[in-house]
Every structure is written in C-alpha cells, then in structure tokens.
Amino acid sequence: MKRWEQILETVLRKGESKLRNVEKYIRTIPDFPKPGIMFRDITSVLQDADGLHEAIDAMQELIGDQEVDVIAGAESRGFIFAMPIAYNLHKPFAPVRKKGKLPCETISEEYDLEYGTAEIEMHKDAIKPGQKVVLIDDLIATGGTLEAAAKIIERLGGEVVKVIALVELAGLNGRERLKKYDVETVVRYEGK
C-alpha cells in the first residue's frame, strides 16, 4: 500500500468513527409516545458537552467542500445544529419557522402530517436567487418538514445543495420523499 493510500485510509477511518461515536450519546426510549415506538432522544446528546461537540462536528463534516452561501435550519431542534455550523463557516443563518412566528413578510408551505397538516414559513428576503443552501434538521422521519422547507427555498430562487440531519429513521421513508436532494445523516436507524 502506498503512503498516500495509508493516509487516506486513516483519515476515512477517523471520520467514520466520529460519525459512529455520536450514536452512543443518543438515548432510546421504548414505547414512547405509544407502545411499539422506539423514541430516539437527542436531548442526551445536547446534555453532554462531548456529544454535542461531536454531533455538530459530524454534521458540519457532511458539508465537506460543498460551496454554500446560506445555512437554513428547521424549527426548533434544527436551529440547535444549524446555528453553530453557520457560525463556524461564517455563513448567514435562515430560520424555517412554524407559521405565524416570523415578523416580516413571509412565504409559506403546507405539508401533510399523520393526522392533518402543518405549515412552515421563511422570510421572503432570507434567500436570494441563486444562493446555494444547506438545509439542516435534527431528524428525518417522513421528510415532510424538510421537503416543505426545500420547496420554500426553491420558490425564493435558492438551490438546496444538501440536506443534513443528525438522525434518520429509515423505516419512515423520508429519504424517498427527499430523493431529488443530496441527503446525508450522521446516525441512521433502520426502524421507525
């Protein structure tokens, strides 16, 4: 094996271990909020300084060398991760909020929930035409929130260059709903 191949292999191994390391901070609570559900609780990540640091670093590493103009975060836990990444990269942060929470002129998108609908919005001046946007949330479940946020960004003329989440619940097929985007997650659980 050539020297550069050894270096690359070491770097890749370190990156993989950092990504897998975050999972040890996630607490699983069985039968919450109802029987049969395995709730993946990220508050245990937030409550541990090392866990929080590793989670933010791992999510930021998923951006790689992608050119980005704006970091957008979905309310509310997406803010927790998107803000420090925006700060670290010296990029503006664009909040994606629940309807009625933003004070200036907004653009909104409605999406389906299991039992009903929800609506999110962004300020109309949050994204400028042609800007490259990384969209961040804590979790990909069905993908509805992130899909709606991506549609808003596109309607404002932005380009969603990457969707990043800390956790993915693969059994809920959110990645399928987001298939037109480059989606990456730090921790993936096969179930729901």
Side-chain angles (χ1 to χ4, degrees):
M1 183 180 285
K2 295 179 183 168
R3 174 91 175 118
W4 66 270
E5 290 173 323
Q6 290 173 323
I7 293 168
L8 179 61
E9 186 176 314
T10 301
V11 167
L12 290 174
R13 262 199 318 270
K14 284 182 181 175
E16 285 176 10
S17 66
K18 182 176 251 185
L19 295 180
R20 282 194 300 260
N21 251 356
V22 174
E23 187 173 5
K24 74 182 181 186
Y25 297 101
I26 298 171
R27 179 172 41 200
T28 299
I29 301 170
D31 300 320
F32 181 83
K34 61 184 184 179
I37 301 292
M38 297 297 283
F39 187 81
R40 307 304 179 168
D41 181 22
I42 66 154
T43 61
S44 50
V45 175
L46 306 178
Q47 293 169 343
D48 187 290
D50 291 333
L52 180 60
H53 195 263
E54 286 186 36
I56 291 167
D57 283 354
M59 292 175 82
Q60 185 171 322
E61 284 175 18
L62 293 176
I63 296 172
D65 60 359
Q66 174 66 56
E67 185 183 329
V68 59
D69 300 307
V70 178
I71 303 294
E75 185 174 348
S76 66
R77 292 181 299 189
F79 293 2
I80 294 167
F81 301 105
M83 280 295 299
I85 292 170
Y87 177 84
N88 290 342
L89 298 177
H90 197 76
K91 300 295 178 185
F93 170 72
V96 180
R97 304 269 339 244
K98 295 174 184 165
K99 185 159 181 69
K101 300 290 185 182
L102 292 171
C104 294
E105 191 175 0
T106 61
I107 181 171
S108 65
E109 185 75 28
E110 191 173 279
Y111 61 100
D112 292 327
L113 298 170
E114 188 176 357
Y115 301 106
T117 60
E119 197 167 354
I120 57 173
E121 58 189 11
M122 292 180 76
H123 280 140
K124 281 190 173 181
D125 62 357
I127 307 294
K128 293 168 185 54
Q131 285 188 314
K132 296 179 183 312
V133 181
V134 171
L135 180 55
I136 296 177
D137 205 354
D138 68 316
L139 175 77
I140 297 175
T142 64
T145 304
L146 288 167
E147 180 186 40
K151 286 179 180 179
I152 292 172
I153 291 165
E154 292 167 345
R155 286 173 43 212
L156 291 170
E159 176 189 357
V160 177
V161 294
K162 197 170 282 262
V163 175
I164 295 174
L166 182 64
V167 175
E168 177 181 1
L169 303 178
L172 294 173
N173 301 316
R175 190 175 285 265
E176 178 63 26
R177 197 171 190 170
L178 301 167
K179 66 184 171 192
K180 78 180 233 184
Y181 304 105
D182 179 5
V183 176
E184 294 199 58
T185 59
V186 176
V187 178
R188 178 182 164 109
Y189 293 102
E190 292 306 317
K192 296 180 178 181

